[in-house]
Amino acid sequence: MRNLRNTRRDHFRTPGDLVLTASGWDTENDSIICTFGPTRDDPLIQLKRWYHDLEEKKESLENIASWDAPCPLPDLECDNVLDLRYFPDSSTTCVVLAGGDIVVVREAPSDGEDKIEIVGSVDVGISAAAWSPDEELLALVTRADTLLYMTKDFDNISSVTLAEDDLKVSKHVSVGWGKKETQFKGKGVKALRDPTMPEKVDKGLPSSHDDKTSTISWRGDGAYVAVNSSQASTRRVIRVYSREGVLDGVSEPVDGLEGALSWRPEGNLLAGIQRFEDRVDVVFFERNGLRHGQFPLRIETEEMTYSWATSVTLKWNVDSSILAVCFRDRFQLWTMGNYHYYMKQEVVFAIPPSHKRLIFEWNPELPLVCTTTSEGKTPMSLSFVRSYNTDSIHRLEYVIHVDVGSTISPDDYGVISVVDGKEVKLTPLRLANVPPPMALYEVAVESNVVNTAIYGGGSNTKVAVLERDRLSIYQWNLKTKPVLAPVLLASAETAACQGYVQQVVFLDDEQVLVLAANSSGSTVSLFRLTATDLRHFITSLSIPLTQSLCSNFSRLNNIPCLHFSLSGRVTFARAILEPGSGLSPDSSRNAWNDICILPKQTREVKIIDLWNKHTENKPGHAKSLTMAFGLTSNGSLYANSRRLAKDCTSFLVTPAHLIFTTTQHLLKFVHMDRVEELEVPPDTPEIDERCRSIERGARLLTVMPSISALVLQMPRGNLETIYPRALVLAGIRQNIDEKKYKKAFLSCRSHRVDMNILHDHDPESFVKNVDLFVDQVGKVEHIDLFLSQLREEDVSKTMYKDTVMRLQPELDTQNSTVYGGAPGHFSNLKINNICDAFLEALQLRASTNLQNIITAHVCKSPPDLEAGLLEVAKLQRDDAEEAEKAVEHICFLVDVNRLYDNALGLYDLELALLIAQQSQKDPREYLPFLQKLQELPSHRKEFTIDDYLGRYTKALTHIHAINDFEEFKLYMTKHKLYEDALHIYRRQEDRIQGLMGLYADYLLKEAEYRKAGIAYEYIRDYASASEAYRLAHLWREALSCAGLIPLEEAQLQSFASTIAGSLQELKDYHSAAIVLQDYLHDLESAARLFCKGYFYANAIRILSINKRPELIEAVVDAGLVEGMGTMTELLAECKAQINAQVPRLRELRIKKVEEPLAFYDGDVNDGMDIPDNVSLAATDASTTGGSLFTRYTNRTGTVGTNATRRTSKNRRREERKRARGKKGSVYEEEYLVNSVGRLIDRVNAVGDEVGRLVVGLMRRGMRERAKAVEGAMVEVVGLCRDCVGEVFQSESKVGQEEEKPKNQDVDRPTGGDGVLWDSMETSQTRKEAPEVKAFEKLALFSR
């Protein structure tokens, strides 16, 4: 689907006395090396260089060397140059002559070296010569049928005779796949013949036009060389030799085979020429000599016999994409796609018959650059210049270009024109995706096509076809069904274009521009289409040759632009004229407007003019953004002067996107914006809609935004139409913005896009335009489809996040305004708000959209089934038939069993019966049940239904309405509806007393002792209340209720003694002491309990109040001594624990960083050395499943899926290991951190007790003991404060934080591995450091 477009055509007229005989490329200086002579009259050979210096704006033919070369062979009129090769690394030129001499010309000879030296000579003469692609070997075929190999130093390393016995080497066997003789022909006589034997066996007879010459061609990698030579003048043979000179294969006999030969650089095919009586074919051979296809050259019989087609040569370009077929006065460029060969270009020269041949050479580095010269002295010129009296050297450059129509909606029909000789293949891909080489229509013209252009779309599509001497305009109506063939409107001669026509482009609907090249540069001519014909208006806008290197047309929206390169580096893009204005005679280059400058020479440029949203309301700022996108030959993609990518292979431009493919086989979309804000997506096709993977080698052809389609061509030539998510979503968003909801809906439906985007993209606008949505979508089924797919998730922030960054803040603010939340917050109101909006809009359409109303009710969250069923019930009363359809629809949306229950809950038995009939329920079950309900009174029926449905609270209200209090209490007790019952009888105190007693009994059984005590106390049951309070350890309330029973004194003291004992068990010594003091009057025991709880002040107070000072010394002092001993021992243990655990924790963490293997698993090899070639990967039987870190972190996969610690027994054992935190185990670090944390909490808890102990000791004159306790406490608090920062640091391993986000979806393992997982997760989470409470020292001690 790609055409060749000529962008450069330079030629140099050589002096009239020079005869051009050979040419070659100097790739280092981008110049052409030529030889002039020898001739029959003059044996002088002149070696010259032609270069075109754009910096100095001049071109010249520089002399390198000259020498006499008399022909040593008597059968030659004069010597002949067979091969010319320039070596840029040594600045030398090698010239191989037919007379046998091999001449080396050194431009900068060293001391002792000659500038011109004959480095070798073959006495019998040379018939063919070729250098290997790596320039290390020279292959020669002598006139004595010998193949010679020479090194770069011209040492002969191999000599092979081209013998007749070589033909016996290969025994070709072809099964004839794909040929007609192998096809099924029925049971006739022909079916009995051997299909591997052709009907006609070629004998290898030479062609009548065979010139008996030999040809050499190397494979692209230089491993093999092919020699095409004539064997004893009876057969033309192609021999294939290895680099060492070993014969590898011989071609099968082919009648009419000529001397042309070119090995495709990719190495799969050798191309030759086979001449028949009525046609000439390019035939292909495999390396083993077997035929492998062919294609015919489109030549008339007279032309191939008596005219320019009598001599044919072949040349593949360096990347194997183009085959050049050279004749006497022209060459043709052929490409292949889908196994069809297209003639893309034909360049014709006016060469007299006396010329021997056309010399054609591809550039060895640039695949689309070539040079051509003519061997001979007779004047040669281009067909449009008749005054040249000398030979010319031509340099031509081409670009691969897709001639495609508009990519702007609505004209984006995807019209593509493919040039194939005298045919133009036209296909509108939007209407008919016809695979190449076929096309929807083929337009035939009189001569080979040079270029095409497409304009407009729909019914006014125009196609311009540019031939060598004619321009034709066709009109194509794409809106008819079926699409008719294009119609020729008019045509005109191009002789007035003053040059060789190169390109054509539409200026507007009636004007066409033609770019042509001549000896002075380039010209642009204007043709106008009138009602009757096509007329040439004017030729102007000449670009001097010294300033024009490559010229090419592109388009600025609908305005053509001509961009050309200066100095080989910079490409200017300049606007021609506005449509309709035409060209004026005085137009000049200085009057053009510069659009932009690209920093490198580009092979393809596309220009677009965007509306500038940033400055449209700012005075003094431009309201448009003009950008040029250019692609260089090395894959750099530029936007003006900014390089966007360096691995681009093709690109397209739409008003919304820049689309390009990369060498990494990715398709990328860049949202249009200012050049500096263009954002190229990363290579992440998994998470970014702007990037997706494509087939290797795929190239862009065209894009059709109106249908969100993109067409790519695969390397083999077939087409693939895709619908990239970026284009689809861009089209949907645009349709939503333009309130084209039906189009957006259909796009979502066709491309399986979540329909929530219809709302989430612009929630406020959607809610306001629900009526418009209903009107546009129309179909009830489509509205139901939208409502049924609603979700709370905001898809515009998750799966379809808009990648146009400049619009994102606006959208976030808009969504938060509609639902009142942070951007991206999933509000619970979304679905219900949308459904309510649809219900409001559908109220006036109830007759036609009742199904949608039901759907809107059912699709709420949670579903409003009752409202939907009420709509069905209402319809049932009016139209039973429609009600049945409505029931079928609602049963399709919701589980029919749920609907049946909800219908019963409405107490509408007819509706419930209608729903049941749509279910799989057995009528023998539900019919008797419904009949029984029908016979019950109203309240009893409602109670039975609610009890059946499990709506016990509601059923309880129906029992209340029946006024059966005993049944009420039984039902309440059965279903534990005490709170609901109390609420129902909240105004009947007599009923509440009975209900509260039942509730209190229930609470007591449920161990809710506090609530039970309150309930018993409410009904004045103090005995039960005191017991409930006692069980709840509420001693004040229990003793209060016991006093209200009332109890006798002995019973009360017994009850108080019991409570005091339970409080001592709970270590609530303060409360127990109060009970002993107030109710048992036991002062000594109360004082001892106060001392046991470190409440020394309270103990001293009660003893002093009751005049018992003797007990102070006996009880309080003893309690102080005992408390000091206990506290001192505790603080000593805390100090020892800190001093032991903190250094160990420090040691473990250092070991974890420095020796992770020893930390996690120990030395699993017991110190033994393991050979480097032994795999250490864990196996299923290994106890160390997983790698070094994955075993314990599980960050790169599941942990040892076949390892141990699977069962619950192992899990419990692992939990015990974790709890113990054994030294040396992987759990030790976690255990130490938790242990230090518990120690700090314990120290904080005893701080108040230590303070009361110190004060008590001081009050009783025990100063030194008080000082010792306080010092120990201060030391422990200091140690705790110092170790907090070290112990409670981040437990994340080195490098783990970077890896964690990549593996968030890894599942937690089971069994013992799960315990280990939990441990590592805990250790990798930063633990909040506990606060160490300050201990206030008593300022009564001396330092």
Side-chain angles (χ1 to χ4, degrees):
M1 305 296 281
R2 290 173 171 81
N3 298 325
L4 288 177
R5 173 183 283 186
N6 180 235
T7 59
R8 176 179 178 181
R9 181 172 180 135
D10 302 335
H11 69 276
F12 179 76
R13 291 173 291 174
T14 61
D17 56 344
L18 298 180
V19 177
L20 187 63
T21 54
S23 65
W25 282 95
D26 176 5
T27 56
E28 186 177 56
N29 300 310
D30 195 24
S31 59
I32 300 174
I33 306 295
C34 306
T35 58
F36 297 90
T39 63
R40 182 176 56 182
D41 302 325
D42 186 1
L44 180 67
I45 297 179
Q46 299 184 48
L47 185 66
K48 297 179 180 293
R49 173 185 282 107
W50 174 54
Y51 67 94
H52 189 171
D53 193 339
L54 293 174
E55 296 290 344
E56 299 182 5
K57 298 181 180 181
K58 66 178 182 179
E59 58 182 356
S60 63
L61 195 64
E62 180 185 82
N63 185 50
I64 299 176
S66 62
W67 69 95
D68 287 332
C71 182
L73 302 178
D75 57 337
L76 294 178
E77 292 184 353
C78 63
D79 216 339
N80 183 27
V81 179
L82 296 179
D83 185 77
L84 175 64
R85 176 62 65 97
Y86 178 78
F87 300 95
D89 55 343
S90 59
S91 299
T92 59
T93 304
C94 178
V95 182
V96 181
L97 301 176
D101 291 339
I102 302 174
V103 183
V104 171
V105 179
R106 303 180 180 90
E107 294 190 45
S110 304
D111 294 340
E113 291 184 338
D114 296 329
K115 183 171 184 177
I116 303 174
E117 181 182 0
I118 299 178
V119 295
S121 182
V122 179
D123 296 338
V124 296
I126 302 173
S127 58
W131 283 91
S132 63
D134 58 2
E135 298 179 344
E136 294 295 331
L137 285 182
L138 172 63
L140 302 173
V141 176
T142 68
R143 296 168 67 89
D145 290 338
T146 303
L147 174 64
L148 303 178
Y149 281 172
M150 287 188 175
T151 65
K152 197 172 183 179
D153 297 328
F154 302 100
D155 296 326
N156 189 8
I157 60 173
S158 180
S159 177
V160 182
T161 301
L162 307 181
E164 189 170 355
D165 292 340
D166 295 343
L167 307 183
K168 303 176 183 178
V169 172
S170 298
K171 297 181 180 180
H172 302 117
V173 177
S174 174
V175 297
W177 296 119
K179 294 185 177 181
K180 64 180 181 179
E181 56 264 23
T182 63
Q183 306 305 311
F184 178 73
K185 299 179 179 179
K187 297 182 179 180
V189 178
K190 289 185 178 182
L192 302 178
R193 58 181 299 275
D194 186 357
T196 64
M197 296 298 296
E199 296 180 2
K200 177 181 179 298
V201 179
D202 286 354
K203 299 179 179 179
L205 301 177
S207 167
S208 59
H209 289 77
D210 191 2
D211 54 4
K212 312 301 180 185
T213 59
S214 299
T215 308
I216 301 176
S217 181
W218 287 85
R219 200 170 75 170
D221 59 0
Y224 293 92
V225 64
V227 178
N228 187 349
S229 62
S230 181
Q231 185 68 39
S233 301
T234 59
R235 178 180 169 184
R236 174 67 69 170
V237 180
I238 300 176
R239 296 176 172 87
V240 178
Y241 292 90
S242 68
R243 194 177 179 91
E244 292 75 24
V246 179
L247 182 64
D248 186 73
V250 179
S251 64
E252 63 177 281
V254 176
D255 290 343
L257 187 65
E258 296 188 354
L261 178 66
S262 183
W263 201 328
R264 196 178 186 196
E266 288 185 353
N268 57 340
L269 295 176
L270 294 93
I273 292 294
Q274 183 181 16
R275 189 179 296 268
F276 297 90
E277 293 181 359
D278 57 346
R279 74 178 193 275
V280 178
D281 284 357
V282 175
V283 293
F284 298 105
F285 296 87
E286 299 176 11
R287 198 189 79 193
N288 58 10
L290 288 175
R291 283 283 300 275
H292 191 95
Q294 66 281 321
F295 71 90
L297 298 175
R298 298 153 191 178
I299 304 173
E300 301 294 336
T301 304
E302 295 181 359
E303 295 172 341
M304 58 176 284
T305 306
Y306 305 107
S307 183
W308 47 268
T310 56
S311 174
V312 186
T313 58
L314 302 173
K315 292 280 186 179
W316 283 103
N317 70 336
V318 67
D319 67 352
S320 305
S321 61
I322 303 175
L323 176 64
V325 182
C326 305
F327 303 94
R328 296 179 59 87
D329 65 343
R330 69 193 66 194
F331 67 85
Q332 298 173 350
L333 302 180
W334 294 74
T335 64
M336 191 268 287
N338 261 18
Y339 304 99
H340 174 81
Y341 279 83
Y342 300 83
M343 185 199 296
K344 293 300 181 182
Q345 289 282 336
E346 182 184 53
V347 180
V348 181
F349 306 97
I351 300 178
S354 60
H355 276 258
K356 298 179 181 179
R357 62 190 176 100
L358 191 70
I359 303 173
F360 182 93
E361 294 291 338
W362 286 107
N363 190 299
E365 294 181 356
L366 304 176
L368 299 177
V369 179
C370 63
T371 179
T372 180
T373 57
S374 175
E375 183 183 43
K377 188 175 179 181
T378 307
M380 169 188 137
S381 62
L382 300 178
S383 60
F384 55 83
V385 181
R386 306 297 184 185
S387 59
Y388 293 165
N389 295 320
T390 57
D391 294 338
S392 296
I393 307 170
H394 296 262
R395 172 195 170 106
L396 297 96
E397 289 190 15
Y398 293 88
V399 296
I400 296 176
H401 185 266
V402 180
D403 294 327
V404 63
S406 175
T407 58
I408 302 175
S409 180
D411 295 332
D412 52 342
Y413 281 82
V415 181
I416 287 186
S417 63
V418 181
V419 174
D420 189 12
K422 296 180 181 180
E423 290 182 347
V424 177
K425 300 177 182 291
L426 296 172
T427 302
L429 296 175
R430 178 172 160 186
L431 304 178
N433 198 341
V434 182
M438 297 179 290
L440 186 63
Y441 285 105
E442 296 179 354
V443 176
V445 294
E446 297 179 359
S447 59
N448 292 317
V449 179
V450 175
N451 190 225
T452 62
I454 302 169
Y455 181 83
S459 60
N460 194 31
T461 303
K462 287 186 171 58
V463 180
V465 179
L466 180 64
E467 306 167 52
R468 189 171 66 249
D469 53 5
R470 178 172 293 276
L471 173 64
S472 303
I473 307 296
Y474 293 83
Q475 186 168 6
W476 199 11
N477 189 351
L478 299 177
K479 290 190 175 181
T480 60
K481 293 184 179 181
V483 177
L484 302 178
V487 178
L488 177 64
L489 294 180
S491 61
E493 299 289 336
T494 58
C497 292
Q498 302 177 9
Y500 179 87
V501 293
Q502 297 173 290
Q503 301 167 36
V504 62
V505 68
F506 278 95
L507 180 61
D508 56 23
D509 191 33
E510 298 179 350
Q511 299 185 101
V512 181
L513 298 174
V514 176
L515 178 67
N518 56 32
S519 58
S520 302
S522 298
T523 61
V524 178
S525 302
L526 175 66
F527 289 80
R528 283 185 176 172
L529 181 65
T530 64
T532 57
D533 58 3
L534 179 66
R535 298 180 182 180
H536 173 260
F537 179 61
I538 195 169
T539 297
S540 186
L541 298 176
S542 177
I543 308 169
L545 182 64
T546 56
Q547 296 182 0
S548 173
L549 180 61
C550 294
S551 302
N552 203 359
F553 271 125
S554 30
R555 300 191 66 83
L556 175 62
N557 288 349
N558 290 323
I559 305 174
C561 298
L562 178 66
H563 65 273
F564 58 90
S565 300
L566 296 179
S567 304
R569 296 293 180 186
V570 180
T571 299
F572 285 79
R574 298 178 179 273
I576 299 296
L577 284 173
E578 295 292 335
S581 62
L583 298 175
S584 59
D586 58 349
S587 298
S588 63
R589 189 179 70 86
N590 297 329
W592 299 356
N593 298 318
D594 285 341
I595 295 176
C596 52
I597 298 177
L598 298 172
K600 297 288 184 180
Q601 178 178 329
T602 54
R603 72 185 189 196
E604 185 177 4
V605 171
K606 288 180 170 51
I607 306 172
I608 191 166
D609 191 16
L610 297 176
W611 185 257
N612 189 352
K613 298 180 180 179
H614 302 276
T615 59
E616 58 181 338
N617 296 322
K618 298 181 181 180
H621 289 76
K623 293 186 178 181
S624 63
L625 294 172
T626 301
M627 288 184 291
F629 297 92
L631 178 62
T632 65
S633 57
N634 63 358
S636 294
L637 178 62
Y638 287 90
N640 290 357
S641 59
R642 178 190 171 191
R643 187 170 74 174
L644 299 178
K646 57 182 179 181
D647 57 350
C648 178
T649 55
S650 61
F651 76 101
L652 290 171
V653 173
T654 71
H657 295 98
L658 164 67
I659 311 169
F660 66 94
T661 56
T662 71
T663 55
Q664 301 300 317
H665 323 302
L666 296 174
L667 175 67
K668 294 190 176 184
F669 293 80
V670 179
H671 295 289
M672 283 297 181
D673 204 338
R674 291 173 293 189
V675 173
E676 61 275 9
E677 296 182 3
L678 292 174
E679 182 184 4
V680 180
D683 297 346
T684 53
E686 302 86 2
I687 61 175
D688 196 334
E689 70 177 30
R690 298 171 298 169
C691 180
R692 65 167 288 171
S693 299
I694 56 175
E695 184 176 335
R696 179 186 297 270
R699 299 292 185 269
L700 294 171
L701 285 185
T702 187
V703 59
M704 294 165 280
S706 61
I707 61 171
S708 305
L710 186 69
V711 183
L712 300 100
Q713 188 169 26
M714 303 302 112
R716 56 189 172 273
N718 59 304
L719 303 184
E720 181 176 343
T721 302
I722 62 175
Y723 297 86
R725 189 64 76 189
L727 276 183
V728 172
L729 293 178
I732 292 173
R733 293 184 184 112
Q734 181 181 357
N735 291 329
I736 294 173
D737 293 337
E738 297 174 358
K739 295 182 176 55
K740 298 178 180 178
Y741 292 113
K742 182 177 182 179
K743 194 171 182 180
F745 172 85
L746 294 177
S747 295
C748 292
R749 183 167 176 261
S750 300
H751 301 292
R752 301 180 66 86
V753 176
D754 194 317
M755 292 188 181
N756 283 270
I757 195 176
L758 298 173
H759 166 270
D760 296 343
H761 177 66
D762 191 351
E764 185 177 0
S765 176
F766 182 86
V767 172
K768 291 180 180 178
N769 293 278
V770 169
D771 288 313
L772 180 61
F773 179 90
V774 173
D775 291 337
Q776 289 184 0
V777 174
K779 288 188 177 181
V780 174
E781 297 81 5
H782 289 173
I783 298 175
D784 279 349
L785 179 61
F786 170 75
L787 292 172
S788 63
Q789 293 192 5
L790 290 177
R791 292 184 291 131
E792 292 294 349
E793 178 185 356
D794 187 351
V795 297
S796 67
K797 301 297 180 297
T798 54
M799 60 192 306
Y800 303 136
K801 184 176 181 180
D802 195 349
T803 51
V804 184
M805 300 306 296
R806 65 178 182 272
L807 299 180
Q808 197 63 38
E810 300 175 5
L811 293 177
D812 288 343
T813 303
Q814 189 181 63
N815 286 353
S816 62
T817 301
V818 174
Y819 294 117
H825 174 69
F826 298 161
S827 171
N828 293 329
L829 300 176
K830 170 187 167 182
I831 296 178
N832 294 341
N833 284 349
I834 296 175
C835 291
D836 290 339
F838 270 88
L839 289 173
E840 182 180 353
L842 295 172
Q843 289 302 320
L844 300 178
R845 302 177 174 87
S847 58
T848 57
N849 294 80
L850 180 62
Q851 180 174 312
N852 298 142
I853 295 175
I854 296 173
T855 304
H857 285 300
V858 170
C859 289
K860 285 186 176 183
S861 180
D864 191 357
L865 299 182
E866 292 188 0
L869 290 172
L870 288 175
E871 294 290 342
V872 176
K874 186 190 302 182
L875 184 63
Q876 186 181 20
R877 293 190 292 270
D878 300 334
D879 191 339
E881 184 177 352
E882 291 296 326
E884 186 174 353
K885 294 181 180 179
V887 168
E888 292 179 1
H889 174 68
I890 197 172
C891 289
F892 172 76
L893 295 176
V894 187
D895 179 26
V896 67
N897 295 315
R898 290 183 60 191
L899 287 173
Y900 175 73
D901 292 343
N902 279 271
L904 281 177
L906 295 176
Y907 314 117
D908 190 336
L909 300 182
E910 293 183 2
L911 180 61
L913 177 62
L914 192 60
I915 297 293
Q917 290 173 349
Q918 298 293 328
S919 69
Q920 300 296 323
K921 292 179 179 292
D922 189 351
R924 291 175 295 179
E925 295 180 0
Y926 67 79
L927 284 177
F929 175 68
L930 294 177
Q931 291 173 354
K932 178 182 178 181
L933 291 176
Q934 188 70 28
E935 298 171 355
L936 295 176
S938 176
H939 290 299
R940 180 60 64 178
K941 177 181 69 175
E942 293 171 358
F943 164 74
T944 305
I945 291 174
D946 287 331
D947 182 65
Y948 171 78
L949 296 177
R951 301 190 299 191
Y952 304 120
T953 301
K954 204 169 184 181
L956 192 65
T957 61
H958 296 310
I959 297 180
H960 175 260
I962 296 173
N963 198 19
D964 188 345
F965 187 65
E966 291 302 323
E967 183 182 3
F968 184 91
K969 289 192 295 182
L970 292 175
Y971 196 81
M972 175 196 71
T973 304
K974 178 181 178 181
H975 296 290
K976 304 174 184 178
L977 303 175
Y978 301 99
E979 295 181 4
D980 297 317
L982 291 172
H983 178 72
I984 293 174
Y985 284 102
R986 62 187 179 277
R987 302 187 186 280
Q988 300 180 31
E989 188 62 31
D990 55 336
R991 301 291 191 187
I992 288 181
Q993 290 292 326
L995 297 177
M996 188 66 75
L998 296 174
Y999 190 20
D1001 294 339
Y1002 167 76
L1003 292 173
L1004 191 62
K1005 292 179 182 178
E1006 296 295 322
E1008 297 283 346
Y1009 301 120
R1010 180 177 173 273
K1011 294 181 180 179
I1014 297 172
Y1016 281 127
E1017 192 173 2
Y1018 177 82
I1019 61 175
R1020 303 298 186 266
D1021 187 354
Y1022 296 113
S1024 300
S1026 63
E1027 182 62 22
Y1029 283 135
R1030 183 188 68 80
L1031 294 173
H1033 305 294
L1034 300 174
W1035 61 274
R1036 294 180 180 86
E1037 291 82 352
L1039 291 171
S1040 300
C1041 289
L1044 294 175
I1045 294 177
L1047 292 176
E1048 296 180 358
E1049 184 65 24
Q1051 293 177 337
L1052 182 60
Q1053 289 185 356
S1054 177
F1055 185 68
S1057 178
T1058 303
I1059 290 179
S1062 63
L1063 291 174
Q1064 291 183 53
E1065 292 176 1
L1066 296 174
K1067 295 186 179 182
D1068 188 359
Y1069 301 114
H1070 188 275
S1071 299
I1074 295 175
V1075 173
L1076 290 176
Q1077 177 189 354
D1078 294 346
Y1079 291 92
L1080 299 178
H1081 309 292
D1082 188 352
L1083 295 179
E1084 182 177 355
S1085 298
R1088 291 184 187 280
L1089 289 179
F1090 277 129
C1091 291
K1092 200 169 184 179
Y1094 296 93
F1095 296 99
Y1096 302 103
N1098 291 16
I1100 296 172
R1101 182 184 66 83
I1102 64 172
L1103 292 177
S1104 62
I1105 291 176
N1106 292 280
K1107 310 299 183 179
R1108 299 290 299 274
E1110 70 280 1
L1111 292 179
I1112 294 177
E1113 183 176 352
V1115 176
V1116 176
D1117 290 352
L1120 287 169
V1121 173
E1122 182 183 356
M1124 175 195 171
T1126 303
M1127 192 60 67
T1128 303
E1129 183 180 358
L1130 172 63
L1131 296 176
E1133 291 177 358
C1134 292
K1135 178 181 177 181
Q1137 181 179 344
I1138 292 175
N1139 291 333
Q1141 291 183 341
V1142 173
R1144 175 60 180 169
L1145 185 60
R1146 186 183 305 119
E1147 177 186 352
L1148 286 174
R1149 287 176 174 169
I1150 294 174
K1151 186 177 181 181
K1152 179 170 65 172
V1153 176
E1154 296 179 353
E1155 302 178 28
L1157 179 61
F1159 175 79
Y1160 283 108
D1161 227 2
D1163 190 356
V1164 295
N1165 306 305
D1166 296 329
M1168 294 186 300
D1169 293 334
I1170 296 179
D1172 294 340
N1173 59 350
V1174 176
S1175 173
L1176 296 180
T1179 64
D1180 292 347
S1182 170
T1183 59
T1184 57
S1187 64
L1188 174 63
F1189 291 106
T1190 58
R1191 178 184 174 194
Y1192 295 110
T1193 62
N1194 203 27
R1195 291 306 186 190
T1196 59
T1198 57
V1199 179
T1201 54
N1202 294 318
T1204 58
R1205 300 195 292 271
R1206 282 287 183 190
T1207 63
S1208 59
K1209 178 180 177 181
N1210 289 333
R1211 176 179 56 79
R1212 291 192 297 271
R1213 182 175 60 191
E1214 201 72 18
E1215 288 175 349
R1216 290 194 296 270
K1217 287 183 181 181
R1218 181 182 180 187
R1220 288 195 302 267
K1222 182 179 177 182
K1223 185 175 181 179
S1225 69
V1226 72
Y1227 302 112
E1228 184 183 2
E1229 182 186 10
E1230 180 191 12
Y1231 175 80
L1232 292 176
V1233 172
N1234 294 335
S1235 179
V1236 174
R1238 291 191 296 269
L1239 183 145
I1240 294 175
D1241 294 337
R1242 190 176 182 186
V1243 171
N1244 289 335
V1246 301
D1248 293 338
E1249 295 179 358
V1250 173
R1252 295 196 297 269
L1253 176 61
V1254 171
V1255 173
L1257 289 170
M1258 284 295 294
R1259 291 180 63 184
R1260 297 301 299 161
M1262 304 177 190
R1263 179 176 177 278
E1264 293 300 327
R1265 293 183 178 182
K1267 183 176 181 181
V1269 173
E1270 183 183 70
M1273 183 64 183
V1274 170
E1275 183 179 6
V1276 171
V1277 170
L1279 290 174
C1280 292
R1281 185 178 293 109
D1282 294 339
C1283 73
V1284 165
E1286 180 180 359
V1287 173
F1288 297 95
Q1289 63 181 7
S1290 174
E1291 299 298 320
S1292 298
K1293 294 200 321 234
V1294 177
Q1296 200 70 38
E1297 294 179 355
E1298 289 77 6
E1299 297 179 6
K1300 186 174 181 180
K1302 300 179 184 178
N1303 300 279
Q1304 290 177 344
D1305 296 334
V1306 178
D1307 295 332
R1308 178 188 181 276
T1310 59
D1313 285 333
V1315 178
L1316 189 56
W1317 169 282
D1318 294 337
S1319 174
M1320 299 310 299
E1321 286 290 319
T1322 302
S1323 65
Q1324 291 169 12
T1325 304
R1326 180 180 293 274
K1327 300 176 71 67
E1328 184 177 356
E1331 180 185 359
V1332 180
K1333 294 183 179 180
F1335 177 72
E1336 185 178 354
K1337 297 172 62 177
L1338 189 62
L1340 296 176
F1341 302 113
S1342 61
R1343 294 184 179 180

